[in-house]
Amino acid sequence: DFFRLKPFIVSVDTSLVHLAGWFGLPLTLLLPLFPDGRWLHSARPGLTIIQQERYNNWDYTCERLLDIINTLS
C-alpha cells in the first residue's frame, strides 16, 4: 500500500489534506500567511500546521519542515 510506505505527507492547501485525514495519515500542512480561515481551526490527530511568518517568505516554513524531517531520520 503506497500510503503505508510514507512516514508522513507534506501538502499545501489542497484536497490531499482531506484525503490524508480520511485515511488517518500523519500530515504536515504548509500554509501562507493569510490562508483560508478553515485551516486555522482544523484540529485533527496527526496534523501539523506550519504557517508563514512573513508574507511571501517561505524561509521559516521550510526550516520548520526540515526540522520535522530531521527528527524522522
Side-chain angles (χ1 to χ4, degrees), residues 30 50 57-67 69:
L30 307 178
I50 307 173
N57 184 333
W58 290 94
D59 292 346
Y60 167 80
T61 313
C62 291
E63 287 171 11
R64 288 278 298 119
L65 177 60
L66 287 174
D67 290 343
I69 292 170

Side-chain angles (χ1 to χ4, degrees), residues 8-12 14 16-18 20-21 24-31 38-50 68:
F8 72 100
I9 297 171
V10 178
S11 183
V12 294
T14 69
L16 181 59
V17 174
H18 298 290
L25 300 171
L27 172 76
T28 301
L29 174 61
L30 307 178
L31 290 179
R38 293 174 289 183
W39 291 119
L40 299 177
H41 302 290
S42 294
R44 296 181 182 165
L47 174 62
T48 302
I49 296 176
I50 307 173
I68 292 171

